[in-house]
Amino acid sequence: NGIKDETGEPCTWYGLHWWLGNYNGEPFFSCRGMRGQYIAVVPSLNLIMVRIGHEQKPERVAHMPPDLFMYLDIAKAIAN
């Protein structure tokens, strides 16, 4: 990843239009729309979550909207 963060360090949470994160110890990547639309992929869990939303919370947890993790929890529970 050649993208730098605001301090000039390599960015570990964003790359080439994908947000990069960690979900319960598993790496994942996601896309986010302006109004709370999400696509999140957790390859190790064989999990893809899609949310068509109408709003997005301004808060962030590790550069991610906190509700993204809630939707991943729901998707994982449904998949099991």
Side-chain angles (χ1 to χ4, degrees):
N1 181 352
I3 297 172
K4 306 287 183 196
D5 68 12
E6 60 275 357
T7 66
E9 294 296 315
C11 183
T12 60
W13 44 270
Y14 184 78
L16 301 174
H17 305 289
W18 291 95
W19 294 92
L20 311 172
N22 187 295
Y23 170 69
N24 294 336
E26 304 293 337
F28 77 95
F29 53 95
S30 65
C31 319
R32 298 194 313 241
M34 291 176 48
R35 303 232 190 290
Q37 304 93 342
Y38 304 130
I39 300 170
V41 180
V42 187
S44 61
L45 299 177
N46 199 30
L47 180 69
I48 299 172
M49 181 277 300
V50 176
R51 175 189 187 243
I52 298 175
H54 297 285
E55 62 182 57
Q56 186 179 103
K57 298 191 180 293
E59 301 88 23
R60 295 291 180 263
V61 174
H63 303 281
M64 302 288 173
D67 61 337
L68 175 65
F69 296 102
M70 177 186 72
Y71 295 121
L72 283 168
D73 286 341
I74 293 167
K76 183 178 176 187
I78 290 170
N80 288 332

